[in-house]
Amino acid sequence: MDESSQTLVEKSFTFEDCGGSQSLTVSIPEVLDPQYGMYVWPCAVVLSQYVWRARRELQHKTVLELGAGVSLPGVVAAKCGARVILSDSAELPLCLRNCRRSCDVNQLPNVPVIGLTWGQVSPELLSLPPVDVILGSDVFYEPEDFEDVLVTVSFIVRRNPHAQLWTTYQERSADWSIDALLLKWDLKCINVPLETFDANKNHLAGSTLPGNHTVQMMIITRQVL
Protein backbone atom coordinates (compact mmCIF):
# COMPACT_ATOMS: atom_id res chain seq x y z
CA MET A 1 0.00 0.00 0.00
CA ASP A 2 1.21 3.53 -0.87
CA GLU A 3 1.80 5.26 2.46
CA SER A 4 0.36 8.52 1.13
CA SER A 5 -2.98 6.79 0.61
CA GLN A 6 -3.24 5.41 4.16
CA THR A 7 -6.00 6.70 6.43
CA LEU A 8 -4.74 7.53 9.93
CA VAL A 9 -6.91 7.61 13.04
CA GLU A 10 -5.31 8.82 16.26
CA LYS A 11 -6.57 7.29 19.51
CA SER A 12 -5.78 8.45 23.04
CA PHE A 13 -5.32 6.20 26.07
CA THR A 14 -5.17 7.54 29.62
CA PHE A 15 -3.74 5.41 32.43
CA GLU A 16 -4.51 6.48 35.99
CA ASP A 17 -3.80 5.47 39.54
CA CYS A 18 -6.72 4.70 41.80
CA GLY A 19 -8.13 8.09 42.74
CA GLY A 20 -6.51 9.75 39.75
CA SER A 21 -3.49 11.07 41.70
CA GLN A 22 -1.21 10.31 38.74
CA SER A 23 -2.02 9.80 35.09
CA LEU A 24 -0.42 9.34 31.70
CA THR A 25 -2.03 9.98 28.31
CA VAL A 26 -0.51 8.64 25.12
CA SER A 27 -1.74 8.93 21.54
CA ILE A 28 -1.51 6.06 19.09
CA PRO A 29 -2.01 6.47 15.33
CA GLU A 30 -3.88 3.56 13.80
CA VAL A 31 -3.77 2.86 10.08
CA LEU A 32 -6.83 1.54 8.29
CA ASP A 33 -4.98 -1.41 6.82
CA PRO A 34 -5.58 -5.20 6.93
CA GLN A 35 -2.21 -5.94 8.60
CA TYR A 36 -2.44 -6.98 12.25
CA GLY A 37 0.22 -4.56 13.43
CA MET A 38 -1.65 -1.41 12.45
CA TYR A 39 -4.29 -1.43 15.20
CA VAL A 40 -4.47 -1.30 18.99
CA TRP A 41 -5.74 -4.73 20.02
CA PRO A 42 -7.32 -5.57 23.39
CA CYS A 43 -4.17 -7.32 24.63
CA ALA A 44 -2.11 -4.16 24.13
CA VAL A 45 -4.26 -2.13 26.48
CA VAL A 46 -4.12 -4.80 29.20
CA LEU A 47 -0.33 -5.12 28.90
CA SER A 48 0.03 -1.33 28.94
CA GLN A 49 -1.99 -1.21 32.16
CA TYR A 50 0.49 -3.67 33.70
CA VAL A 51 3.41 -1.55 32.46
CA TRP A 52 1.82 1.57 33.95
CA ARG A 53 1.34 -0.13 37.33
CA ALA A 54 4.97 -1.41 37.23
CA ARG A 55 6.40 1.95 36.15
CA ARG A 56 8.64 2.45 39.17
CA GLU A 57 10.17 -0.98 38.59
CA LEU A 58 10.91 -0.04 34.97
CA GLN A 59 12.77 3.19 35.69
CA HIS A 60 16.07 3.12 33.76
CA LYS A 61 15.53 -0.53 32.76
CA THR A 62 16.03 -1.69 29.18
CA VAL A 63 12.76 -2.86 27.65
CA LEU A 64 12.35 -4.59 24.28
CA GLU A 65 8.91 -4.85 22.70
CA LEU A 66 8.47 -7.73 20.27
CA GLY A 67 5.94 -7.49 17.45
CA ALA A 68 5.34 -3.94 18.55
CA GLY A 69 3.01 -2.83 15.75
CA VAL A 70 1.45 0.40 16.99
CA SER A 71 3.68 0.08 20.10
CA LEU A 72 1.25 1.10 22.87
CA PRO A 73 3.00 -0.90 25.66
CA GLY A 74 6.46 0.22 24.54
CA VAL A 75 5.40 3.87 24.31
CA VAL A 76 3.92 3.69 27.83
CA ALA A 77 7.16 2.12 29.12
CA ALA A 78 9.24 4.86 27.48
CA LYS A 79 7.01 7.56 28.94
CA CYS A 80 7.51 5.95 32.36
CA GLY A 81 11.29 6.26 32.16
CA ALA A 82 12.41 2.95 30.65
CA ARG A 83 15.02 2.67 27.90
CA VAL A 84 12.83 1.17 25.19
CA ILE A 85 13.64 -0.61 21.94
CA LEU A 86 10.70 -1.26 19.62
CA SER A 87 10.82 -4.15 17.17
CA ASP A 88 8.64 -5.78 14.59
CA SER A 89 9.29 -8.20 11.76
CA ALA A 90 12.00 -7.10 9.36
CA GLU A 91 9.63 -8.35 6.66
CA LEU A 92 6.90 -5.82 7.59
CA PRO A 93 8.25 -2.35 6.77
CA LEU A 94 4.81 -0.74 7.17
CA CYS A 95 4.65 -1.98 10.76
CA LEU A 96 8.14 -0.65 11.44
CA ARG A 97 7.10 2.73 10.07
CA ASN A 98 4.07 2.65 12.33
CA CYS A 99 6.33 2.03 15.34
CA ARG A 100 8.28 5.13 14.37
CA ARG A 101 5.06 7.10 13.83
CA SER A 102 3.86 6.23 17.35
CA CYS A 103 7.16 7.47 18.77
CA ASP A 104 6.94 10.71 16.82
CA VAL A 105 3.38 11.41 17.97
CA ASN A 106 4.44 10.94 21.61
CA GLN A 107 7.65 12.97 21.36
CA LEU A 108 9.98 9.98 21.70
CA PRO A 109 12.54 10.72 18.96
CA ASN A 110 15.33 8.69 20.55
CA VAL A 111 13.54 5.33 20.83
CA PRO A 112 15.17 2.92 18.34
CA VAL A 113 12.98 0.87 16.01
CA ILE A 114 14.55 -2.32 14.67
CA GLY A 115 13.54 -5.17 12.39
CA LEU A 116 13.51 -8.38 14.44
CA THR A 117 11.93 -11.45 12.87
CA TRP A 118 10.92 -14.14 15.37
CA GLY A 119 12.94 -17.33 15.21
CA GLN A 120 15.86 -15.80 13.30
CA VAL A 121 19.27 -15.15 14.82
CA SER A 122 19.91 -11.93 12.96
CA PRO A 123 22.56 -9.22 13.36
CA GLU A 124 19.88 -7.07 15.02
CA LEU A 125 19.19 -9.75 17.61
CA LEU A 126 22.89 -10.33 18.24
CA SER A 127 23.58 -6.63 18.71
CA LEU A 128 20.85 -6.02 21.31
CA PRO A 129 22.09 -4.44 24.55
CA PRO A 130 21.39 -6.25 27.84
CA VAL A 131 17.60 -6.52 28.20
CA ASP A 132 15.66 -6.48 31.48
CA VAL A 133 12.06 -6.83 30.28
CA ILE A 134 10.57 -8.09 27.01
CA LEU A 135 7.04 -6.97 26.16
CA GLY A 136 4.83 -9.04 23.89
CA SER A 137 1.22 -8.10 23.24
CA ASP A 138 -0.75 -10.83 21.44
CA VAL A 139 2.44 -12.40 20.07
CA PHE A 140 0.80 -15.80 20.62
CA TYR A 141 -1.79 -15.18 17.93
CA GLU A 142 -0.95 -17.61 15.12
CA PRO A 143 -0.06 -21.13 16.39
CA GLU A 144 2.58 -21.52 13.67
CA ASP A 145 4.44 -18.54 15.23
CA PHE A 146 4.46 -19.84 18.81
CA GLU A 147 7.78 -21.63 18.62
CA ASP A 148 9.49 -18.83 16.71
CA VAL A 149 8.46 -16.37 19.42
CA LEU A 150 9.81 -18.63 22.16
CA VAL A 151 13.05 -19.29 20.25
CA THR A 152 13.67 -15.54 20.24
CA VAL A 153 12.70 -15.16 23.90
CA SER A 154 14.87 -18.13 24.89
CA PHE A 155 17.85 -16.63 23.06
CA ILE A 156 17.42 -13.32 24.88
CA VAL A 157 16.98 -14.79 28.37
CA ARG A 158 19.98 -17.09 27.94
CA ARG A 159 22.06 -13.96 27.41
CA ASN A 160 20.15 -12.07 30.14
CA PRO A 161 19.25 -14.67 32.77
CA HIS A 162 17.17 -12.26 34.86
CA ALA A 163 15.09 -10.98 31.93
CA GLN A 164 11.34 -11.56 31.87
CA LEU A 165 8.76 -11.65 29.09
CA TRP A 166 5.58 -9.83 30.06
CA THR A 167 2.92 -11.00 27.64
CA THR A 168 -0.83 -10.83 27.18
CA TYR A 169 -2.87 -13.14 25.00
CA GLN A 170 -6.48 -13.47 23.99
CA GLU A 171 -8.24 -16.77 24.53
CA ARG A 172 -9.30 -17.88 21.07
CA SER A 173 -9.16 -21.69 21.27
CA ALA A 174 -9.46 -24.36 23.93
CA ASP A 175 -6.50 -26.07 22.26
CA TRP A 176 -4.22 -23.06 22.85
CA SER A 177 -1.14 -24.18 24.77
CA ILE A 178 2.55 -23.38 24.85
CA ASP A 179 3.39 -25.67 27.77
CA ALA A 180 5.35 -28.20 25.70
CA LEU A 181 7.25 -25.45 23.90
CA LEU A 182 8.14 -23.76 27.19
CA LEU A 183 9.60 -27.03 28.41
CA LYS A 184 11.50 -27.54 25.15
CA TRP A 185 13.14 -24.11 25.33
CA ASP A 186 13.90 -24.16 29.08
CA LEU A 187 11.30 -21.56 29.97
CA LYS A 188 8.59 -21.35 32.59
CA CYS A 189 5.58 -19.10 33.13
CA ILE A 190 3.32 -17.77 35.83
CA ASN A 191 -0.15 -16.39 35.23
CA VAL A 192 -0.88 -12.89 36.51
CA PRO A 193 -4.52 -12.34 37.54
CA LEU A 194 -5.90 -9.22 35.89
CA GLU A 195 -7.49 -7.99 39.10
CA THR A 196 -4.03 -7.59 40.65
CA PHE A 197 -3.35 -4.64 38.36
CA ASP A 198 -6.91 -3.35 37.86
CA ALA A 199 -7.26 -4.73 34.34
CA ASN A 200 -10.31 -6.92 34.99
CA LYS A 201 -12.75 -4.56 33.33
CA ASN A 202 -14.28 -4.10 29.91
CA HIS A 203 -13.00 -0.56 29.48
CA LEU A 204 -9.42 0.44 30.21
CA ALA A 205 -7.42 3.64 29.82
CA GLY A 206 -10.45 5.64 28.75
CA SER A 207 -11.04 3.39 25.75
CA THR A 208 -13.64 0.80 24.77
CA LEU A 209 -10.98 -1.92 24.95
CA PRO A 210 -10.67 -4.74 25.89
CA GLY A 211 -14.44 -4.91 25.60
CA ASN A 212 -15.81 -8.40 26.11
CA HIS A 213 -12.67 -10.18 24.96
CA THR A 214 -11.07 -12.62 27.39
CA VAL A 215 -7.47 -11.51 27.84
CA GLN A 216 -4.91 -13.25 30.05
CA MET A 217 -1.47 -12.21 31.19
CA MET A 218 1.60 -14.24 32.04
CA ILE A 219 5.28 -13.70 32.84
CA ILE A 220 7.78 -16.03 31.17
CA THR A 221 11.28 -16.49 32.55
CA ARG A 222 14.23 -18.82 32.16
CA GLN A 223 13.81 -22.26 33.70
CA VAL A 224 16.80 -22.78 35.98
CA LEU A 225 17.62 -26.48 35.94
Side-chain angles (χ1 to χ4, degrees), residues 68-144:
V70 291
S71 311
L72 178 60
V75 165
V76 171
K79 284 292 190 180
C80 291
R83 295 185 295 265
V84 172
I85 302 165
L86 299 176
S87 74
D88 212 312
S89 172
E91 300 161 9
L92 297 174
L94 289 180
C95 287
L96 292 171
R97 282 200 288 273
N98 223 33
C99 293
R100 181 78 270 149
R101 189 183 286 119
S102 292
C103 291
D104 293 342
V105 166
N106 291 283
Q107 292 78 52
L108 297 169
N110 299 318
V111 171
V113 176
I114 63 172
L116 208 62
T117 303
W118 302 331
Q120 295 182 10
V121 180
S122 61
E124 290 77 14
L125 183 64
L126 291 169
S127 61
L128 283 174
V131 171
D132 300 297
V133 174
I134 308 161
L135 301 176
S137 164
D138 226 352
V139 292
F140 297 109
Y141 182 88
E142 299 282 7
E144 59 265 29

Side-chain angles (χ1 to χ4, degrees), residues 14-20 41-47 49-50 52-53 192-216:
T14 299
F15 300 89
E16 294 182 320
D17 277 348
C18 292
W41 291 78
C43 285
V45 186
V46 174
L47 182 56
Q49 173 76 3
Y50 188 83
W52 165 247
R53 285 303 177 91
V192 182
L194 268 57
E195 59 268 21
T196 62
F197 56 103
D198 269 351
N200 57 330
K201 54 188 73 172
N202 290 340
H203 296 79
L204 276 177
S207 76
T208 57
L209 294 171
N212 294 319
H213 300 285
T214 302
V215 176
Q216 305 290 347

